[in-house]
Amino acid sequence: MNKQVIFLISFFVIFAVSCSNDDEPQIPTNAISLNMMAGDSETTIGGSDVFINASNNFASSYCGIADLGRKGSFNQNPSLSQIAQEVAVTPGNFYQITLAQDIQTVAGARAYPINTNYYNVYVDSWIYDKDKDIAGAKISFAECYPQIKQLPKWDEQIVVNKELNDAYYNIVSYSFPQGCIIDDAIDAYYTNGYENLTDRLDFKINGNQMELTYPDLSNTNPYVKLLVRYENVYTRVSLDFK
């Protein structure tokens, strides 16, 4: 056989194998494989109530399910733009499962808490019965937590330095990383031990930046907690005044 023909055949075989491997997802070591039979509501994904119903759909009463298509992954952060309680099962697609009650509106958009788990799911293939009808699906899933380096940990204390604005007021400011957005519903109060001075806290929020002005009382600082969102994930932090 002509050497050039042999070379071309070898090239296309290697290319085809390479493309086939690229299409297969990288299954992490913590992933769990599961055979889910259609209509079996007792077989669910992790700690969720998601099962495959008789219509070959993922279904849930308490969770949000997102179909990420073939571009998802096992390290996908929460995707909340299109979620439903029932979606079609499609081999080769990734899905994501979040607990619906944990999804909150923070700084004007849906967000998931950084300290809360969710599941990334991959549907490998159908399971067929003896009559070659679809009986269920083989899946893999992994328990995940959001990985957002721009956000502090949940309930982290952030130290902010006081700058004396004048003889009677302090002013403090803090900026989170670019892309973060501070929610303007701030949990705060201020008292001198005798009277509530919360209404004298003056907050200015601009995207990822916060400025607070408050009366200067010896050895007394406001209690302040903030919600901060980055993309579809949020965290809660408290301010420690120095």
Side-chain angles (χ1 to χ4, degrees):
M1 186 181 290
N2 187 294
K3 290 183 178 179
Q4 187 175 7
V5 173
I6 294 173
F7 172 78
L8 289 173
I9 292 173
S10 301
F11 172 79
F12 284 117
V13 169
I14 293 171
F15 179 78
V17 171
S18 175
C19 289
S20 176
N21 290 338
D22 288 344
D23 289 340
E24 295 177 2
Q26 297 297 313
I27 309 295
T29 56
N30 68 323
I32 297 173
S33 296
L34 187 63
N35 289 344
M36 302 186 73
M37 309 309 293
D40 178 11
S41 60
E42 298 299 317
T43 302
T44 59
I45 296 175
S48 76
D49 69 335
V50 176
F51 69 103
I52 297 179
N53 64 19
S55 301
N56 294 319
N57 295 334
F58 284 126
S60 169
S61 297
Y62 306 107
C63 296
I65 309 169
D67 185 347
L68 305 179
R70 296 178 181 271
K71 294 184 178 180
S73 69
F74 279 103
N75 59 3
Q76 179 96 23
N77 278 313
S79 178
L80 308 176
S81 58
Q82 293 184 340
I83 55 175
Q85 289 183 295
E86 184 171 342
V87 298
V89 175
T90 304
N93 280 12
F94 280 91
Y95 297 81
Q96 197 171 81
I97 298 170
T98 51
L99 191 60
Q101 69 180 22
D102 289 327
I103 299 173
Q104 305 293 330
T105 298
V106 177
R110 287 177 177 175
Y112 203 69
I114 199 169
N115 66 335
T116 303
N117 71 324
Y118 60 100
Y119 297 100
N120 280 316
V121 181
Y122 176 72
V123 179
D124 179 65
S125 62
W126 291 122
I127 298 172
Y128 295 96
D129 61 20
K130 62 181 180 179
D131 297 321
K132 296 185 179 180
D133 293 324
I134 294 174
K138 295 180 179 180
I139 72 154
S140 297
F141 70 92
E143 181 182 24
C144 305
Y145 285 84
Q147 301 297 316
I148 304 291
K149 64 181 180 179
Q150 291 86 349
L151 290 177
K153 295 178 181 178
W154 188 265
D155 277 344
E156 182 172 326
Q157 275 199 334
I158 294 179
V159 175
V160 292
N161 295 317
K162 293 184 287 186
E163 304 170 15
L164 194 62
N165 192 28
D166 56 32
Y168 303 102
Y169 284 86
N170 287 316
I171 183 169
V172 296
S173 60
Y174 188 82
S175 295
F176 292 91
Q178 195 70 27
C180 294
I181 306 176
I182 303 171
D183 192 278
D184 57 9
I186 299 171
D187 180 12
Y189 67 83
Y190 190 38
T191 177
N192 62 1
Y194 303 99
E195 58 181 325
N196 189 342
L197 304 174
T198 304
D199 60 352
R200 298 178 67 182
L201 299 176
D202 181 23
F203 288 96
K204 294 180 181 177
I205 305 295
N206 182 20
N208 65 326
Q209 301 174 336
M210 180 220 69
E211 182 179 278
L212 167 62
T213 303
Y214 63 97
D216 181 33
L217 301 176
S218 300
N219 301 319
T220 303
N221 290 313
Y223 164 91
V224 178
K225 281 197 173 184
L226 305 171
L227 298 182
V228 187
R229 177 176 62 81
Y230 184 87
E231 295 181 346
N232 292 328
V233 178
Y234 78 97
T235 191
R236 182 178 70 187
V237 298
S238 59
L239 303 185
D240 183 14
F241 301 96
K242 298 296 184 183

